[in-house]
Amino acid sequence: MARCIFHIDLDAFFVSAEQALDPKLKGKPVIVGGDPERRGVVASASYEARPFGIHAGMPLSQARRLCPEAIFVRANFPRYKDASNKFMQILSDFSPYIEPLGLDEAYLDVTGCEQSYGSPQKLALGIKERIHKELNLTASVGIATCKVVAKIASDLCKPDGLLEIAQGEERNFLNPLPVAKLPGVGKKTEQALKEMGIATIGELASLPLEIVKRHFGKFGAVLHSYAKGMDDRRVEAPCEPKSISQQITFAQDTLDRRFLEIRLRQLCLEVSERLRCQDKRASCVAIRLRYADFKTITRQITLNEASNANQVIYTIALQLLNKTLAPQGKPIRLIGVRISSLVGREKQLPMFDSKVERSVRLDKAIDQIRRKYGPTAIKTGATIAIQAEGCVKSLRQRS
Ligand code: TTP
Ligand code: MG
């Protein structure tokens, strides 16, 4: 029996989450990133901003030049995490076979479930309606017999779209599309294929497998079957994230010790909050420094006892910074924090209400207030020092 796979992706997610809270932003060119006067990149651009050529990853300064009237909004990660959890919860009400990919997209295997809705399209409309009603967000849904075709379909019907590729129609759908639409084909592969005279997915599919393998090895064999609309990967829950990281690129390279400490504290607050959000603790804390000449170093320490307390993570990160800075006199361009060796709550039941446990309870209460009322809603001694500055932050989790 053919499978029925959905790929669901929220439209302009970070921007839409901000618009859902502030309707004045709706229908306008809105960019979530940071302060455009400083170095930083676009994380998400509204569909009104995209005709100006603005896209994720573009420097904010360039986005400002392309669209001076754009509204720039600072990212609020806990808010997006909250919306993402609710989004995934809605999806899992429709099928237990869910595979989240990042915060705003997921595969759903609904084989068999669609019958009670009348058709896959009706089921998809039911999902879109709930997302709209409960989260005030729009999603695009691709429906196909396999993951790769469903993913390409959802991409092509954005925003607020629904596109079903019927069984047997996969190749007709894929053939005219540019190879860059295939997941896994980045700039390098696209260029290599171009040099072989291959521009469309159809052209790639009609090449003999041996030739594709000769150029791209095992990866080539996978691409070749994707190009033919063949993908037997199952929809399955991915492994837990193995680390959480956050980094900042400064507006100007710096050696200012106090400034570096404040930024480090800010990063530690953010990663530890994400850790608490997942009810996890970390056993390993690392910092990353990139100097003005782009030389990058990483230093890490393993904790005696896993923790998710702001203060514990910051103290360790500060020790690492102190050690790392001492012999170096070079200005710093970027600083990052990564916490890894994550363990669940069950591994760390405290025997008594230690000082650290009490401070984690306080951290969690502050997290909740910030999630509800925004990042500046509550200030502590530690955060008063942290002035929000324009910076590039990578907001992704590593698996
Ligand atoms: P995407 O789904 O790639 O983008 P999007 O939801 O903003 O827009 P689209 O309608 O095309 O799906 O990524 C989801 C969110 O992840 C995005 O809103 C912001 C974040 N993100 C980053 O932080 N950095 C990035 O480079 C990208 C691509 C996304
Ligand atoms: Mg999206």
Side-chain angles (χ1 to χ4, degrees), residues 9-13 104 158:
D9 189 304
L10 296 173
D11 303 314
F13 175 42
D104 85 325
K158 275 181 163 295

Side-chain angles (χ1 to χ4, degrees), residues 33-41 60-61 64 72-74 388-391:
D35 181 346
E37 299 305 325
R38 314 222 169 215
R39 282 201 289 225
V41 290
L60 290 169
S61 51
R64 165 74 95 206
F72 291 80
V73 181
R74 204 174 294 281
E389 294 242 6
C391 37

Side-chain angles (χ1 to χ4, degrees), residues 8-14 44 47 50 104-105 138 158:
I8 306 122
D9 189 304
L10 296 173
D11 303 314
F13 175 42
F14 286 10
S44 178
Y47 278 78
R50 297 188 193 193
D104 85 325
E105 58 178 308
T138 62
K158 275 181 163 295

Side-chain angles (χ1 to χ4, degrees), residues 360-377:
V360 170
R361 280 217 303 276
L362 176 63
D363 290 344
K364 283 185 174 173
I366 294 172
D367 294 346
Q368 267 183 358
I369 294 170
R370 293 217 176 99
R371 216 163 291 149
K372 199 157 175 195
Y373 300 106
T376 52

Side-chain angles (χ1 to χ4, degrees), residues 80-90 103 277:
Y80 311 142
K81 178 69 189 151
D82 201 39
S84 169
N85 289 343
K86 290 178 180 148
F87 165 61
M88 298 300 173
Q89 185 54 53
I90 292 175
L103 287 179
C277 202

Side-chain angles (χ1 to χ4, degrees), residues 176-198:
L177 301 176
V179 281
K181 288 282 171 205
L182 279 178
V185 174
K187 291 256 172 296
K188 261 171 111 180
T189 311
E190 187 185 8
Q191 182 58 31
L193 285 166
K194 197 173 159 197
E195 282 161 19
M196 294 163 67
I198 304 298

